[in-house]
Amino acid sequence: VEQMVPTTNYGKSAFLTPYPLPQDASTVGWDVYRVLAAMDSTVIYVDSNRVATLNAGQFFSGRLTRAAEMYSDKPFMVAQYKKTSSTGNTGLANSDPFMMMIPPYEQFLPSYRFISAQAVQLNSNFERVKVYNFQYVNIVAPQTVIDKVVLDGATVPANQFTRIGGSRFY
């Protein structure tokens, strides 16, 4: 569940991070991002490339193919959309589509606590079985702390991080 944020909470920078493709997932289609302007003449840059000039209420959509830094001199809001993914063999959904609001860098906190719950359902024998085969988290951190990121009590190896565009974030 996502909720639109008020324009007073829009920011001037954001980091786009692609989603991992679940095992055996179809590569048909693509994930996208969408940026919405709060003010007229909002020039949007992705990794120093000008991608759009928007007026208040206008939006621009692009393919989410790699990690990138987005910024402007005026406030904007950005969301990422994950496509559904089916397996090549069964046609069954291997991941659900969703939308995720991307917080602006200006609103980053030094630490976060979150829970990733496993849903269960009953199979034909009325046994409880897990719903999700894979669960992922994208973590964005400045280069100066990537060797200090802790997940489930263990330090995340620094080589698991990839630099985002030309920024100091990974």
Side-chain angles (χ1 to χ4, degrees), residues 128-143:
R128 294 167 55 98
V129 294
K130 68 180 184 175
V131 173
Y132 306 114
N133 293 324
F134 308 99
Q135 295 187 24
Y136 301 94
V137 60
N138 282 357
I139 298 171
V140 175
Q143 188 275 333

Side-chain angles (χ1 to χ4, degrees), residues 23-44:
Q23 182 179 329
D24 297 328
S26 167
T27 56
V28 175
W30 52 83
D31 302 327
V32 299
Y33 65 88
R34 179 171 283 174
V35 58
L36 175 67
M39 302 171 72
D40 289 344
S41 302
T42 300
V43 180
I44 302 294

Side-chain angles (χ1 to χ4, degrees), residues 21-170:
L21 192 62
Q23 182 179 329
D24 297 328
S26 167
T27 56
V28 175
W30 52 83
D31 302 327
V32 299
Y33 65 88
R34 179 171 283 174
V35 58
L36 175 67
M39 302 171 72
D40 289 344
S41 302
T42 300
V43 180
I44 302 294
Y45 295 90
V46 175
D47 287 340
S48 301
N49 297 313
R50 185 180 184 155
V51 297
T53 300
L54 306 171
N55 288 325
Q58 289 183 320
F59 65 87
F60 171 81
S61 296
R63 288 187 184 183
L64 181 59
T65 58
R66 61 183 172 74
E69 179 183 19
M70 177 181 284
Y71 60 91
S72 179
D73 64 339
K74 296 181 180 169
F76 63 86
M77 179 185 70
V78 66
Q80 291 185 183
Y81 297 84
K82 175 73 177 124
K83 72 178 181 84
T84 191
S85 181
S86 61
T87 62
N89 299 332
T90 66
L92 297 174
N94 201 20
S95 66
D96 291 333
F98 64 88
M99 177 187 82
M100 180 172 66
M101 304 305 293
I102 305 303
Y105 164 67
E106 303 92 298
Q107 295 176 15
F108 277 18
L109 299 173
S111 66
Y112 292 88
R113 181 174 293 211
F114 65 95
I115 296 172
S116 178
Q118 176 61 265
V120 294
Q121 63 187 13
L122 297 178
N123 66 13
S124 58
N125 296 324
F126 298 100
E127 299 167 326
R128 294 167 55 98
V129 294
K130 68 180 184 175
V131 173
Y132 306 114
N133 293 324
F134 308 99
Q135 295 187 24
Y136 301 94
V137 60
N138 282 357
I139 298 171
V140 175
Q143 188 275 333
T144 56
V145 300
I146 60 173
D147 60 341
K148 297 172 182 65
V149 174
V150 176
L151 179 65
D152 289 338
T155 301
V156 176
N159 67 1
Q160 293 294 305
F161 290 87
T162 304
R163 188 172 184 181
I164 299 176
S167 76
R168 60 184 182 91
F169 285 83
Y170 286 69

